[in-house]
């Protein structure tokens, strides 16, 4: 069994630009990201995203003593069909920089998500499908199903509960997890 906890902080610099950082409790890696909204109208939106995962704590070195940094770029498309139903698709590519030895050195991800609000926008049923393909010393792929809910009964917070389940894969562990996220908006 594996468990973990991490903290994620985001800040909207401008109306269309958001930066964020994530740090697990064990401080093994820090993740830095940016999202820029390129286009947004009433029902559709397009954004670009990018970021880096930087090893920070213990046990992040390869046998050769190097600590690989991972960088990624991607795009997001959002579509709200009506006030209750929305869809998101995101695609990204990431790469490990430097001599990574036996590690997978690049991967591509494609995710599709849907959300449907009930009870006057206080409860949302969410679901998603994710595909990740990695290449390097060995090739890997993984399909993951993401069912869950969001609870939005307050004006400044959002609660997310999800159970990601890996449904198919090759050369990688299949897992089932539990996600709990609390988003608090400070004004």
């Amino acid at each position: 069994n594996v468990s973990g906890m991490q903290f994620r902080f985001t800040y909207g610099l401008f109306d269309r630009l958001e930066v964020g950082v994530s740090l697990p409790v064990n401080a093994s890696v820090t993740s830095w990201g940016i999202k820029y909204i390129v286009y947004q109208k009433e029902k559709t939106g397009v954004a670009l995203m990018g970021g880096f995962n930087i090893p920070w704590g213990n046990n992040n070195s390869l046998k050769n003593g190097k600590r690989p940094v991972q960088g990624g770029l991607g795009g997001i498309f959002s579509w709200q069909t009506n006030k209750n139903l929305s869809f998101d698709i995101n695609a990204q590519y990431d790469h490990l920089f430097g001599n990574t030895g036996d590690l997978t050195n690049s991967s591509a991800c494609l995710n599709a998500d849907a959300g449907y609000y009930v009870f006057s926008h206080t409860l949302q049923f969410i679901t998603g499908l994710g595909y990740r393909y990695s290449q390097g010393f060995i090739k890997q792929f993984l399909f993951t199903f993401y069912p869950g809910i969001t609870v939005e009964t307050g004006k400044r917070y959002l609660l997310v509960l999800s159970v990601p389940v890996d449904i198919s894969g090759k050369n990688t562990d299949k897992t089932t997890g539990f996600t709990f996220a609390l988003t608090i908006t400070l004004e």
Side-chain angles (χ1 to χ4, degrees):
N1 291 335
V2 175
S3 63
M5 182 173 153
Q6 75 175 8
F7 295 97
R8 179 173 178 256
F9 305 94
T10 60
Y11 184 73
L13 289 176
F14 306 104
D15 188 38
R16 295 180 176 256
L17 183 65
E18 179 182 296
V19 295
V21 62
S22 294
L23 181 66
V25 172
N26 70 1
S28 60
V29 65
T30 181
S31 300
W32 296 83
I34 189 167
K35 179 176 82 171
Y36 179 73
I37 299 171
V38 176
Y39 172 84
Q40 187 168 4
K41 290 293 181 188
E42 189 174 310
K43 292 189 175 196
T44 59
V46 175
L48 297 175
M49 62 181 167
F52 289 96
N53 294 330
I54 302 168
W56 203 28
N58 296 326
N59 300 321
N60 281 312
S61 296
L62 299 173
K63 291 178 186 175
N64 62 10
K66 301 213 177 195
R67 298 165 62 102
V69 172
Q70 181 182 29
L73 294 171
I76 306 163
F77 174 75
S78 296
W79 177 42
Q80 183 147 359
T81 61
N82 59 50
K83 70 177 189 166
N84 293 324
L85 180 61
S86 63
F87 298 94
D88 293 304
I89 296 174
N90 72 70
Q92 74 180 50
Y93 172 81
D94 59 61
H95 184 77
L96 279 173
F97 296 98
N99 181 2
T100 59
D102 292 345
L103 289 180
T104 300
N105 58 16
S106 65
S107 61
C109 303
L110 181 63
N111 294 294
D113 306 301
Y116 188 79
Y117 281 104
V118 294
F119 304 121
S120 301
H121 275 237
T122 58
L123 178 68
Q124 180 182 211
F125 295 103
I126 56 175
T127 188
L129 286 174
Y131 173 76
R132 181 175 191 87
Y133 174 81
S134 304
Q135 62 184 16
F137 181 71
I138 59 172
K139 293 182 180 181
Q140 303 170 316
F141 75 86
L142 186 63
F143 283 102
T144 305
F145 174 55
Y146 300 92
I149 61 169
T150 69
V151 180
E152 301 178 45
T153 58
K155 291 184 178 182
R156 293 195 173 119
Y157 71 90
L158 165 70
L159 181 69
V160 180
L161 301 167
S162 178
V163 180
V165 179
D166 296 333
I167 53 178
S168 178
K170 182 177 181 182
N171 295 323
T172 187
D173 293 332
K174 289 189 286 184
T175 63
T176 299
F178 175 73
T179 302
F180 168 81
L182 174 62
T183 299
I184 301 171
T185 303
L186 304 174
E187 292 183 15

